[in-house]
Amino acid sequence: MKSIVILISGRGSNMQALLEAQLPCRIAAVISNRANAEGLNIAKARGIATAVVEHRDYADRDSFDAALAKTIDACHPDFVALAGFMRILTAGFVERYRGKLVNIHPSLLPAYSGLNTHARALHDGVRIHGCTVHFVTPDLDHGPIIVQAAVPVLCHDDERTLAARVLHEEHRIYPQAIRWLCADQIELNEQGRVTFRYHQQSGFALISPGLE
Ligand code: GRF
């Protein structure tokens, strides 16, 4: 059976979705760069091994990433899932886990990479927003896309309501992406594209606002 390590920095709701999804893999550990990440308690309560590699204990990104990699590698995971892990990783770290490192981002990439995605989407007046699971490459938030979910932006949305609608979909697509990975249904090919061995094509359009 494949195994994964999940990296978090805070609340850990995506991690929780992965823990609750009964994935066909072992969750080898949950690792946080912050000792007070709420998600650590959720993982512990479910009997999952946890570890903390405090970024503040390291002088620079290279030494933090080296310590993080050591902690990850001790678990021998097949995949590493970033779930609200709020540190920018060095190119060396990312290359070490090529094809094994995935992230969930709260926007329809390549739109709104970086932070404050919901506020920026609202500011721009887009009618459709969403979330993306992608392989991580050194190009921040621009790695090959595995799966995306789109949601409508409604007239009275504020950051909180829009974030909640997107988060609901994050909790659906991230477990699916990990399931595909663990079942060898997808991989990152030499050309840096995601190849699917099998996937169901669906032909629905999301039109927002809806047509009369
Ligand atoms: C999520 O919106 C995720 O897409 C982003 O950070 C947030 C983490 O939330 N990368 P949680 O810790 O999973 O609840």
Side-chain angles (χ1 to χ4, degrees):
M1 185 183 258
K2 298 255 163 64
S3 72
I4 66 168
V5 160
I6 305 173
L7 304 190
I8 63 168
S9 294
R11 179 177 62 178
S13 72
N14 276 290
M15 173 212 73
Q16 187 170 2
L18 295 177
L19 300 188
E20 289 174 356
Q22 297 186 314
L23 297 169
C25 64
R26 195 171 68 83
I27 313 286
V30 169
I31 302 173
S32 173
N33 65 309
R34 286 179 47 227
N36 61 354
E38 305 90 304
L40 287 173
N41 296 328
I42 299 170
K44 281 182 197 153
R46 299 183 74 94
I48 307 289
T50 62
V52 175
V53 184
E54 271 280 1
H55 64 273
R56 284 174 304 194
D57 292 346
Y58 296 86
D60 51 37
R61 283 191 196 283
D62 284 327
S63 53
F64 168 70
D65 282 6
L68 183 61
K70 199 171 165 197
T71 308
I72 293 170
D73 292 350
C75 303
H76 305 290
D78 294 284
F79 302 105
V80 179
L82 307 181
F85 186 70
M86 302 303 284
R87 300 296 300 169
I88 292 174
L89 296 161
T90 56
F93 180 97
V94 170
E95 294 294 357
R96 178 192 190 100
Y97 299 104
R98 187 184 187 279
K100 296 176 159 205
L101 184 61
V102 292
N103 181 45
I104 180 123
H105 182 81
S107 78
L108 288 174
L109 290 172
Y112 307 119
S113 58
L115 299 173
N116 304 317
T117 56
H118 309 310
R120 288 155 60 207
L122 287 169
H123 177 265
D124 287 347
V126 298
R127 299 292 180 208
I128 294 176
H129 186 43
C131 49
T132 303
V133 178
H134 63 96
F135 282 106
V136 178
T137 61
D139 195 5
L140 183 69
D141 292 335
H142 282 84
I145 292 170
I146 297 170
V147 56
Q148 297 183 300
V151 301
V153 180
L154 304 181
C155 293
H156 302 294
D157 267 336
D158 56 24
E159 255 189 86
R160 190 183 54 80
T161 57
L162 182 56
R165 192 172 310 117
V166 172
L167 192 66
H168 182 77
E169 301 308 319
E170 293 185 34
H171 295 166
R172 298 174 67 203
I173 65 171
Y174 212 5
Q176 174 67 82
I178 300 295
R179 209 171 263 126
W180 280 329
L181 277 171
C182 290
D184 291 323
Q185 299 281 3
I186 52 173
E187 65 181 18
L188 186 60
N189 70 16
E190 288 300 317
Q191 291 71 42
R193 312 262 327 169
V194 178
T195 55
F196 280 78
R197 293 227 164 71
Y198 166 84
H199 69 122
Q200 205 154 6
Q201 303 270 4
S202 77
F204 297 110
L206 171 60
I207 300 177
S208 171
L211 303 181
E212 278 191 32

PDB file of all heavy atoms in Angstrom, residues 127-158:
ATOM      1  N   ARG A 127     -16.905  36.052 -12.174  1.00  0.00           N
ATOM      2  CA  ARG A 127     -18.166  35.361 -11.870  1.00  0.00           C
ATOM      3  C   ARG A 127     -17.936  33.895 -11.527  1.00  0.00           C
ATOM      4  O   ARG A 127     -18.853  33.210 -11.079  1.00  0.00           O
ATOM      5  CB  ARG A 127     -19.112  35.438 -13.069  1.00  0.00           C
ATOM      6  CG  ARG A 127     -19.487  36.853 -13.451  1.00  0.00           C
ATOM      7  CD  ARG A 127     -20.342  37.489 -12.382  1.00  0.00           C
ATOM      8  NE  ARG A 127     -20.694  38.846 -12.745  1.00  0.00           N
ATOM      9  CZ  ARG A 127     -20.940  39.799 -11.872  1.00  0.00           C
ATOM     10  NH1 ARG A 127     -20.858  39.548 -10.580  1.00  0.00           N
ATOM     11  NH2 ARG A 127     -21.252  41.011 -12.270  1.00  0.00           N
ATOM     12  N   ILE A 128     -16.745  33.414 -11.820  1.00  0.00           N
ATOM     13  CA  ILE A 128     -16.402  32.022 -11.511  1.00  0.00           C
ATOM     14  C   ILE A 128     -15.035  32.009 -10.841  1.00  0.00           C
ATOM     15  O   ILE A 128     -14.102  32.685 -11.287  1.00  0.00           O
ATOM     16  CB  ILE A 128     -16.393  31.155 -12.799  1.00  0.00           C
ATOM     17  CG1 ILE A 128     -17.821  31.061 -13.366  1.00  0.00           C
ATOM     18  CG2 ILE A 128     -15.852  29.758 -12.514  1.00  0.00           C
ATOM     19  CD1 ILE A 128     -17.932  30.304 -14.681  1.00  0.00           C
ATOM     20  N   HIS A 129     -14.967  31.248  -9.764  1.00  0.00           N
ATOM     21  CA  HIS A 129     -13.719  31.144  -9.001  1.00  0.00           C
ATOM     22  C   HIS A 129     -13.560  29.659  -8.674  1.00  0.00           C
ATOM     23  O   HIS A 129     -14.350  28.840  -9.159  1.00  0.00           O
ATOM     24  CB  HIS A 129     -13.897  32.020  -7.744  1.00  0.00           C
ATOM     25  CG  HIS A 129     -12.707  32.181  -6.870  1.00  0.00           C
ATOM     26  ND1 HIS A 129     -11.434  32.406  -7.335  1.00  0.00           N
ATOM     27  CD2 HIS A 129     -12.606  32.162  -5.508  1.00  0.00           C
ATOM     28  CE1 HIS A 129     -10.605  32.534  -6.299  1.00  0.00           C
ATOM     29  NE2 HIS A 129     -11.293  32.379  -5.189  1.00  0.00           N
ATOM     30  N   GLY A 130     -12.591  29.274  -7.855  1.00  0.00           N
ATOM     31  CA  GLY A 130     -12.481  27.852  -7.570  1.00  0.00           C
ATOM     32  C   GLY A 130     -11.178  27.460  -6.920  1.00  0.00           C
ATOM     33  O   GLY A 130     -10.549  28.281  -6.225  1.00  0.00           O
ATOM     34  N   CYS A 131     -10.792  26.219  -7.138  1.00  0.00           N
ATOM     35  CA  CYS A 131      -9.593  25.680  -6.492  1.00  0.00           C
ATOM     36  C   CYS A 131      -8.920  24.672  -7.413  1.00  0.00           C
ATOM     37  O   CYS A 131      -9.535  24.166  -8.351  1.00  0.00           O
ATOM     38  CB  CYS A 131      -9.946  25.050  -5.153  1.00  0.00           C
ATOM     39  SG  CYS A 131     -11.341  23.910  -5.209  1.00  0.00           S
ATOM     40  N   THR A 132      -7.655  24.426  -7.111  1.00  0.00           N
ATOM     41  CA  THR A 132      -6.803  23.623  -7.998  1.00  0.00           C
ATOM     42  C   THR A 132      -5.902  22.705  -7.175  1.00  0.00           C
ATOM     43  O   THR A 132      -5.302  23.150  -6.193  1.00  0.00           O
ATOM     44  CB  THR A 132      -5.879  24.569  -8.823  1.00  0.00           C
ATOM     45  OG1 THR A 132      -6.672  25.498  -9.551  1.00  0.00           O
ATOM     46  CG2 THR A 132      -4.971  23.792  -9.760  1.00  0.00           C
ATOM     47  N   VAL A 133      -5.795  21.452  -7.599  1.00  0.00           N
ATOM     48  CA  VAL A 133      -4.738  20.581  -7.071  1.00  0.00           C
ATOM     49  C   VAL A 133      -3.703  20.434  -8.182  1.00  0.00           C
ATOM     50  O   VAL A 133      -4.058  20.158  -9.336  1.00  0.00           O
ATOM     51  CB  VAL A 133      -5.277  19.186  -6.675  1.00  0.00           C
ATOM     52  CG1 VAL A 133      -4.123  18.303  -6.168  1.00  0.00           C
ATOM     53  CG2 VAL A 133      -6.363  19.309  -5.606  1.00  0.00           C
ATOM     54  N   HIS A 134      -2.445  20.651  -7.834  1.00  0.00           N
ATOM     55  CA  HIS A 134      -1.398  20.614  -8.858  1.00  0.00           C
ATOM     56  C   HIS A 134      -0.120  20.003  -8.311  1.00  0.00           C
ATOM     57  O   HIS A 134       0.106  20.001  -7.088  1.00  0.00           O
ATOM     58  CB  HIS A 134      -1.119  22.038  -9.379  1.00  0.00           C
ATOM     59  CG  HIS A 134      -0.583  22.974  -8.321  1.00  0.00           C
ATOM     60  ND1 HIS A 134       0.760  23.225  -8.151  1.00  0.00           N
ATOM     61  CD2 HIS A 134      -1.221  23.695  -7.359  1.00  0.00           C
ATOM     62  CE1 HIS A 134       0.920  24.080  -7.142  1.00  0.00           C
ATOM     63  NE2 HIS A 134      -0.266  24.376  -6.643  1.00  0.00           N
ATOM     64  N   PHE A 135       0.702  19.476  -9.217  1.00  0.00           N
ATOM     65  CA  PHE A 135       2.045  19.070  -8.816  1.00  0.00           C
ATOM     66  C   PHE A 135       2.838  20.335  -8.511  1.00  0.00           C
ATOM     67  O   PHE A 135       2.632  21.384  -9.144  1.00  0.00           O
ATOM     68  CB  PHE A 135       2.744  18.305  -9.945  1.00  0.00           C
ATOM     69  CG  PHE A 135       2.286  16.872 -10.075  1.00  0.00           C
ATOM     70  CD1 PHE A 135       1.454  16.486 -11.111  1.00  0.00           C
ATOM     71  CD2 PHE A 135       2.691  15.917  -9.151  1.00  0.00           C
ATOM     72  CE1 PHE A 135       1.033  15.167 -11.234  1.00  0.00           C
ATOM     73  CE2 PHE A 135       2.271  14.595  -9.265  1.00  0.00           C
ATOM     74  CZ  PHE A 135       1.440  14.217 -10.301  1.00  0.00           C
ATOM     75  N   VAL A 136       3.729  20.234  -7.555  1.00  0.00           N
ATOM     76  CA  VAL A 136       4.535  21.398  -7.179  1.00  0.00           C
ATOM     77  C   VAL A 136       5.826  21.387  -7.987  1.00  0.00           C
ATOM     78  O   VAL A 136       6.501  20.356  -8.088  1.00  0.00           O
ATOM     79  CB  VAL A 136       4.848  21.383  -5.665  1.00  0.00           C
ATOM     80  CG1 VAL A 136       5.723  22.574  -5.286  1.00  0.00           C
ATOM     81  CG2 VAL A 136       3.548  21.393  -4.873  1.00  0.00           C
ATOM     82  N   THR A 137       6.116  22.540  -8.580  1.00  0.00           N
ATOM     83  CA  THR A 137       7.384  22.744  -9.286  1.00  0.00           C
ATOM     84  C   THR A 137       8.021  24.009  -8.699  1.00  0.00           C
ATOM     85  O   THR A 137       7.352  24.733  -7.939  1.00  0.00           O
ATOM     86  CB  THR A 137       7.156  22.940 -10.811  1.00  0.00           C
ATOM     87  OG1 THR A 137       6.351  24.114 -10.974  1.00  0.00           O
ATOM     88  CG2 THR A 137       6.483  21.743 -11.436  1.00  0.00           C
ATOM     89  N   PRO A 138       9.260  24.304  -9.063  1.00  0.00           N
ATOM     90  CA  PRO A 138       9.879  25.510  -8.493  1.00  0.00           C
ATOM     91  C   PRO A 138       9.135  26.790  -8.843  1.00  0.00           C
ATOM     92  O   PRO A 138       9.288  27.810  -8.178  1.00  0.00           O
ATOM     93  CB  PRO A 138      11.295  25.497  -9.095  1.00  0.00           C
ATOM     94  CG  PRO A 138      11.566  24.061  -9.385  1.00  0.00           C
ATOM     95  CD  PRO A 138      10.237  23.490  -9.811  1.00  0.00           C
ATOM     96  N   ASP A 139       8.324  26.764  -9.889  1.00  0.00           N
ATOM     97  CA  ASP A 139       7.562  27.942 -10.306  1.00  0.00           C
ATOM     98  C   ASP A 139       6.298  28.030  -9.427  1.00  0.00           C
ATOM     99  O   ASP A 139       5.315  27.323  -9.674  1.00  0.00           O
ATOM    100  CB  ASP A 139       7.194  27.743 -11.793  1.00  0.00           C
ATOM    101  CG  ASP A 139       6.737  29.027 -12.438  1.00  0.00           C
ATOM    102  OD1 ASP A 139       6.785  30.083 -11.769  1.00  0.00           O
ATOM    103  OD2 ASP A 139       6.320  28.964 -13.612  1.00  0.00           O
ATOM    104  N   LEU A 140       6.341  28.870  -8.423  1.00  0.00           N
ATOM    105  CA  LEU A 140       5.314  28.909  -7.368  1.00  0.00           C
ATOM    106  C   LEU A 140       3.884  28.934  -7.921  1.00  0.00           C
ATOM    107  O   LEU A 140       3.522  29.822  -8.701  1.00  0.00           O
ATOM    108  CB  LEU A 140       5.539  30.145  -6.481  1.00  0.00           C
ATOM    109  CG  LEU A 140       4.587  30.277  -5.281  1.00  0.00           C
ATOM    110  CD1 LEU A 140       4.877  29.202  -4.242  1.00  0.00           C
ATOM    111  CD2 LEU A 140       4.693  31.663  -4.667  1.00  0.00           C
ATOM    112  N   ASP A 141       3.079  27.984  -7.491  1.00  0.00           N
ATOM    113  CA  ASP A 141       1.657  27.874  -7.876  1.00  0.00           C
ATOM    114  C   ASP A 141       1.431  27.691  -9.376  1.00  0.00           C
ATOM    115  O   ASP A 141       0.324  27.911  -9.866  1.00  0.00           O
ATOM    116  CB  ASP A 141       0.847  29.103  -7.397  1.00  0.00           C
ATOM    117  CG  ASP A 141       0.720  29.157  -5.877  1.00  0.00           C
ATOM    118  OD1 ASP A 141       0.812  28.103  -5.233  1.00  0.00           O
ATOM    119  OD2 ASP A 141       0.542  30.264  -5.348  1.00  0.00           O
ATOM    120  N   HIS A 142       2.464  27.322 -10.105  1.00  0.00           N
ATOM    121  CA  HIS A 142       2.293  27.143 -11.547  1.00  0.00           C
ATOM    122  C   HIS A 142       2.639  25.735 -12.006  1.00  0.00           C
ATOM    123  O   HIS A 142       2.906  25.513 -13.191  1.00  0.00           O
ATOM    124  CB  HIS A 142       3.110  28.183 -12.324  1.00  0.00           C
ATOM    125  CG  HIS A 142       2.445  29.520 -12.341  1.00  0.00           C
ATOM    126  ND1 HIS A 142       2.572  30.430 -11.311  1.00  0.00           N
ATOM    127  CD2 HIS A 142       1.604  30.079 -13.238  1.00  0.00           C
ATOM    128  CE1 HIS A 142       1.849  31.497 -11.584  1.00  0.00           C
ATOM    129  NE2 HIS A 142       1.255  31.317 -12.746  1.00  0.00           N
ATOM    130  N   GLY A 143       2.639  24.793 -11.083  1.00  0.00           N
ATOM    131  CA  GLY A 143       2.942  23.414 -11.470  1.00  0.00           C
ATOM    132  C   GLY A 143       1.802  22.796 -12.260  1.00  0.00           C
ATOM    133  O   GLY A 143       0.677  23.321 -12.273  1.00  0.00           O
ATOM    134  N   PRO A 144       2.079  21.669 -12.915  1.00  0.00           N
ATOM    135  CA  PRO A 144       1.071  20.993 -13.740  1.00  0.00           C
ATOM    136  C   PRO A 144      -0.207  20.675 -12.960  1.00  0.00           C
ATOM    137  O   PRO A 144      -0.157  20.124 -11.857  1.00  0.00           O
ATOM    138  CB  PRO A 144       1.783  19.713 -14.180  1.00  0.00           C
ATOM    139  CG  PRO A 144       3.233  20.059 -14.103  1.00  0.00           C
ATOM    140  CD  PRO A 144       3.378  21.000 -12.953  1.00  0.00           C
ATOM    141  N   ILE A 145      -1.325  21.023 -13.572  1.00  0.00           N
ATOM    142  CA  ILE A 145      -2.620  20.913 -12.899  1.00  0.00           C
ATOM    143  C   ILE A 145      -3.176  19.501 -12.998  1.00  0.00           C
ATOM    144  O   ILE A 145      -3.189  18.890 -14.071  1.00  0.00           O
ATOM    145  CB  ILE A 145      -3.604  21.931 -13.517  1.00  0.00           C
ATOM    146  CG1 ILE A 145      -3.157  23.355 -13.158  1.00  0.00           C
ATOM    147  CG2 ILE A 145      -5.037  21.674 -13.035  1.00  0.00           C
ATOM    148  CD1 ILE A 145      -3.902  24.454 -13.887  1.00  0.00           C
ATOM    149  N   ILE A 146      -3.650  18.994 -11.857  1.00  0.00           N
ATOM    150  CA  ILE A 146      -4.261  17.665 -11.795  1.00  0.00           C
ATOM    151  C   ILE A 146      -5.780  17.774 -11.906  1.00  0.00           C
ATOM    152  O   ILE A 146      -6.409  17.119 -12.718  1.00  0.00           O
ATOM    153  CB  ILE A 146      -3.868  16.949 -10.478  1.00  0.00           C
ATOM    154  CG1 ILE A 146      -2.353  16.734 -10.428  1.00  0.00           C
ATOM    155  CG2 ILE A 146      -4.635  15.634 -10.331  1.00  0.00           C
ATOM    156  CD1 ILE A 146      -1.836  16.246  -9.081  1.00  0.00           C
ATOM    157  N   VAL A 147      -6.374  18.608 -11.062  1.00  0.00           N
ATOM    158  CA  VAL A 147      -7.842  18.707 -11.052  1.00  0.00           C
ATOM    159  C   VAL A 147      -8.237  20.082 -10.523  1.00  0.00           C
ATOM    160  O   VAL A 147      -7.524  20.665  -9.689  1.00  0.00           O
ATOM    161  CB  VAL A 147      -8.465  17.555 -10.203  1.00  0.00           C
ATOM    162  CG1 VAL A 147      -7.939  17.519  -8.798  1.00  0.00           C
ATOM    163  CG2 VAL A 147      -9.993  17.586 -10.195  1.00  0.00           C
ATOM    164  N   GLN A 148      -9.336  20.598 -11.029  1.00  0.00           N
ATOM    165  CA  GLN A 148      -9.850  21.888 -10.572  1.00  0.00           C
ATOM    166  C   GLN A 148     -11.351  21.787 -10.327  1.00  0.00           C
ATOM    167  O   GLN A 148     -12.033  20.994 -10.987  1.00  0.00           O
ATOM    168  CB  GLN A 148      -9.611  22.983 -11.630  1.00  0.00           C
ATOM    169  CG  GLN A 148      -8.140  23.241 -11.890  1.00  0.00           C
ATOM    170  CD  GLN A 148      -7.898  24.363 -12.867  1.00  0.00           C
ATOM    171  OE1 GLN A 148      -8.345  24.291 -13.997  1.00  0.00           O
ATOM    172  NE2 GLN A 148      -7.186  25.387 -12.432  1.00  0.00           N
ATOM    173  N   ALA A 149     -11.854  22.599  -9.415  1.00  0.00           N
ATOM    174  CA  ALA A 149     -13.295  22.731  -9.212  1.00  0.00           C
ATOM    175  C   ALA A 149     -13.636  24.205  -9.326  1.00  0.00           C
ATOM    176  O   ALA A 149     -12.942  25.060  -8.765  1.00  0.00           O
ATOM    177  CB  ALA A 149     -13.702  22.210  -7.836  1.00  0.00           C
ATOM    178  N   ALA A 150     -14.706  24.488 -10.051  1.00  0.00           N
ATOM    179  CA  ALA A 150     -15.152  25.873 -10.237  1.00  0.00           C
ATOM    180  C   ALA A 150     -16.432  26.104  -9.446  1.00  0.00           C
ATOM    181  O   ALA A 150     -17.274  25.213  -9.351  1.00  0.00           O
ATOM    182  CB  ALA A 150     -15.393  26.144 -11.716  1.00  0.00           C
ATOM    183  N   VAL A 151     -16.539  27.285  -8.868  1.00  0.00           N
ATOM    184  CA  VAL A 151     -17.769  27.651  -8.152  1.00  0.00           C
ATOM    185  C   VAL A 151     -18.220  29.025  -8.651  1.00  0.00           C
ATOM    186  O   VAL A 151     -17.396  29.837  -9.080  1.00  0.00           O
ATOM    187  CB  VAL A 151     -17.564  27.710  -6.613  1.00  0.00           C
ATOM    188  CG1 VAL A 151     -17.082  26.372  -6.063  1.00  0.00           C
ATOM    189  CG2 VAL A 151     -16.629  28.835  -6.210  1.00  0.00           C
ATOM    190  N   PRO A 152     -19.522  29.311  -8.572  1.00  0.00           N
ATOM    191  CA  PRO A 152     -19.974  30.648  -8.951  1.00  0.00           C
ATOM    192  C   PRO A 152     -19.604  31.661  -7.868  1.00  0.00           C
ATOM    193  O   PRO A 152     -19.560  31.318  -6.685  1.00  0.00           O
ATOM    194  CB  PRO A 152     -21.494  30.481  -9.045  1.00  0.00           C
ATOM    195  CG  PRO A 152     -21.819  29.340  -8.144  1.00  0.00           C
ATOM    196  CD  PRO A 152     -20.624  28.424  -8.170  1.00  0.00           C
ATOM    197  N   VAL A 153     -19.341  32.869  -8.285  1.00  0.00           N
ATOM    198  CA  VAL A 153     -19.227  33.979  -7.334  1.00  0.00           C
ATOM    199  C   VAL A 153     -20.596  34.651  -7.325  1.00  0.00           C
ATOM    200  O   VAL A 153     -21.074  35.083  -8.377  1.00  0.00           O
ATOM    201  CB  VAL A 153     -18.132  34.982  -7.769  1.00  0.00           C
ATOM    202  CG1 VAL A 153     -18.027  36.121  -6.758  1.00  0.00           C
ATOM    203  CG2 VAL A 153     -16.788  34.274  -7.925  1.00  0.00           C
ATOM    204  N   LEU A 154     -21.234  34.696  -6.158  1.00  0.00           N
ATOM    205  CA  LEU A 154     -22.606  35.209  -6.077  1.00  0.00           C
ATOM    206  C   LEU A 154     -22.599  36.700  -5.728  1.00  0.00           C
ATOM    207  O   LEU A 154     -21.616  37.225  -5.178  1.00  0.00           O
ATOM    208  CB  LEU A 154     -23.402  34.405  -5.048  1.00  0.00           C
ATOM    209  CG  LEU A 154     -23.426  32.885  -5.309  1.00  0.00           C
ATOM    210  CD1 LEU A 154     -24.258  32.168  -4.248  1.00  0.00           C
ATOM    211  CD2 LEU A 154     -23.941  32.565  -6.706  1.00  0.00           C
ATOM    212  N   CYS A 155     -23.708  37.368  -6.053  1.00  0.00           N
ATOM    213  CA  CYS A 155     -23.773  38.830  -5.938  1.00  0.00           C
ATOM    214  C   CYS A 155     -23.403  39.350  -4.548  1.00  0.00           C
ATOM    215  O   CYS A 155     -22.734  40.356  -4.416  1.00  0.00           O
ATOM    216  CB  CYS A 155     -25.169  39.321  -6.276  1.00  0.00           C
ATOM    217  SG  CYS A 155     -25.532  39.062  -7.980  1.00  0.00           S
ATOM    218  N   HIS A 156     -23.882  38.655  -3.522  1.00  0.00           N
ATOM    219  CA  HIS A 156     -23.660  39.172  -2.174  1.00  0.00           C
ATOM    220  C   HIS A 156     -22.482  38.516  -1.471  1.00  0.00           C
ATOM    221  O   HIS A 156     -22.348  38.632  -0.257  1.00  0.00           O
ATOM    222  CB  HIS A 156     -24.944  39.028  -1.354  1.00  0.00           C
ATOM    223  CG  HIS A 156     -26.091  39.747  -1.982  1.00  0.00           C
ATOM    224  ND1 HIS A 156     -26.112  41.126  -2.104  1.00  0.00           N
ATOM    225  CD2 HIS A 156     -27.210  39.307  -2.586  1.00  0.00           C
ATOM    226  CE1 HIS A 156     -27.208  41.493  -2.739  1.00  0.00           C
ATOM    227  NE2 HIS A 156     -27.904  40.404  -3.042  1.00  0.00           N
ATOM    228  N   ASP A 157     -21.639  37.860  -2.236  1.00  0.00           N
ATOM    229  CA  ASP A 157     -20.497  37.197  -1.608  1.00  0.00           C
ATOM    230  C   ASP A 157     -19.558  38.194  -0.959  1.00  0.00           C
ATOM    231  O   ASP A 157     -19.329  39.297  -1.484  1.00  0.00           O
ATOM    232  CB  ASP A 157     -19.695  36.406  -2.662  1.00  0.00           C
ATOM    233  CG  ASP A 157     -20.137  34.959  -2.761  1.00  0.00           C
ATOM    234  OD1 ASP A 157     -20.703  34.440  -1.781  1.00  0.00           O
ATOM    235  OD2 ASP A 157     -19.914  34.359  -3.822  1.00  0.00           O
ATOM    236  N   ASP A 158     -19.035  37.792   0.180  1.00  0.00           N
ATOM    237  CA  ASP A 158     -17.866  38.469   0.729  1.00  0.00           C
ATOM    238  C   ASP A 158     -16.778  37.400   0.816  1.00  0.00           C
ATOM    239  O   ASP A 158     -16.996  36.244   0.441  1.00  0.00           O
ATOM    240  CB  ASP A 158     -18.179  39.117   2.090  1.00  0.00           C
ATOM    241  CG  ASP A 158     -18.724  38.127   3.102  1.00  0.00           C
ATOM    242  OD1 ASP A 158     -18.460  36.920   2.956  1.00  0.00           O
ATOM    243  OD2 ASP A 158     -19.421  38.555   4.037  1.00  0.00           O
TER     244      ASP A 158
END
